Amino acid sequence: MTFTPAASARVVRTAYQKAVAEYWNNEKDPVNLRLGDVDGLYHHHYGIGDWDPAVLEGPEETRGDRIIEELHRLESAQADVLLDHLGAIAPGDRLLDAGCGRGGTSVMANRRFGCEVDGVSISESQVDFANGQARQRGVDDRVRFHFRNMLDTGLPAGAFQGIWNNESTMYVDLFQLFAEYSRLLAHGGRYVCITGCYNDVTGGRSKAVSRIDEHYTCNIHPRSAYFKALAANGLVPINVVDLTAATIPYWELRAKSALATGIEEPFLAAYREGSFHYLLIAADHV
């Protein structure tokens, strides 16, 4: 699909958004693509759970492939945990994957619930890739990806039983974001996010957190900002899960892989020193 300059201007509206869109339009990081090649589920998030020590054993020539498969297993496990918290979703419901990346979690949601899933991204290349994956899997009648801004999707009000962000809230203003979700969610609908957030108790972004911001062109929010913005928009937390300890093994294994980018150590330092938390937040629309 070709997006016209006029369409792009309507979706990507600020200099910062343009910088973010450009980053993701040009991103071809093997840590995303090689992991997705394992089974065709392409994610743009991290993993949780302990890794199998056996991946470091066995023939040296296949060690890299074993690590890639294990990292992908951990990132798909993270997506499964997110989907677990959406609650009871029926085949007739509709879900929104906001900041959908290359669409892996949307495909998983359709496979689990049998429902329609819409994904939105300000990256044209991600949208094209994700729609191509949906066509290859024969689910493009139920799983669709759109070049739209998650702060102003243009999608119908009250149409969604569930919405999620998987590591994408650090690119936007949370009050604007949750106002849009309040509009989109049906009464009683569920919002779930998994996000990294800095620890208010430590008094601001640590050096390690600042390095993560710089690496990904993002703006990590304090933990408190999520709960203030949710409350201001009629979204009431029903479950908050600290996944920090559960994600550290993923980063430890990734640091041992040929796909390491150098950002592994800032993540590990931030998590271990307590300046950064990895949270799952589930909230109901009232």
Side-chain angles (χ1 to χ4, degrees), residues 102-164:
R102 290 185 170 96
T105 307
S106 294
V107 172
M108 291 175 66
N110 169 261
R111 186 168 63 193
R112 179 188 291 209
F113 302 118
C115 62
E116 292 188 50
V117 185
D118 292 274
V120 297
S121 173
I122 61 172
S123 166
E124 298 101 317
S125 65
Q126 287 185 345
V127 169
D128 279 345
F129 187 97
N131 278 321
Q133 291 297 303
R135 285 192 297 272
Q136 287 183 28
R137 290 175 174 271
V139 296
D140 52 312
D141 60 328
R142 305 285 285 172
V143 182
R144 300 169 294 267
F145 300 94
H146 314 276
F147 175 50
R148 301 193 184 195
N149 192 316
M150 61 184 172
L151 295 176
D152 182 15
T153 64
L155 295 169
F160 296 90
Q161 185 61 30
I163 298 174
W164 72 84

Side-chain angles (χ1 to χ4, degrees), residues 1 22 24 31 59 70 94 122-123 131 147 161 174 176 181 183 192 198 215 226 246 248 270:
M1 182 183 297
E22 183 178 2
W24 289 110
V31 81
E70 187 69 351
R94 190 175 176 187
I122 61 172
S123 166
N131 278 321
F147 175 50
Q161 185 61 30
L174 294 178
Q176 294 179 44
Y181 294 170
R183 184 186 72 83
V192 180
Y198 74 77
H215 183 86
Y226 285 88
I248 287 175

Side-chain angles (χ1 to χ4, degrees), residues 158-210:
F160 296 90
Q161 185 61 30
I163 298 174
W164 72 84
N165 285 101
N166 201 348
E167 298 178 12
S168 53
T169 52
M170 61 287 295
Y171 290 102
V172 295
D173 179 273
L174 294 178
F175 286 85
Q176 294 179 44
L177 184 71
F178 296 157
E180 175 67 349
Y181 294 170
S182 185
R183 184 186 72 83
L184 292 170
L185 277 170
H187 180 74
R190 175 73 52 82
Y191 170 67
V192 180
C193 75
I194 294 181
T195 187
C197 52
Y198 74 77
N199 185 357
D200 301 80
V201 176
T202 59
R205 290 177 181 83
S206 66
K207 182 177 180 180
V209 170
S210 295

Side-chain angles (χ1 to χ4, degrees), residues 189-264:
R190 175 73 52 82
Y191 170 67
V192 180
C193 75
I194 294 181
T195 187
C197 52
Y198 74 77
N199 185 357
D200 301 80
V201 176
T202 59
R205 290 177 181 83
S206 66
K207 182 177 180 180
V209 170
S210 295
R211 287 182 62 190
I212 296 167
D213 268 344
E214 182 179 2
H215 183 86
Y216 290 110
T217 318
C218 63
N219 184 28
I220 292 167
H221 301 291
R223 183 179 62 199
S224 61
Y226 285 88
F227 300 98
K228 292 175 182 176
L230 288 167
N233 289 287
L235 296 166
V236 180
I238 188 170
N239 211 338
V240 179
V241 183
D242 184 358
L243 297 173
T244 305
T247 198
I248 287 175
Y250 165 88
W251 288 101
E252 291 174 335
L253 181 61
R254 181 166 147 175
K256 300 176 186 294
S257 78
L259 300 179
T261 63
I263 199 62
E264 292 78 16

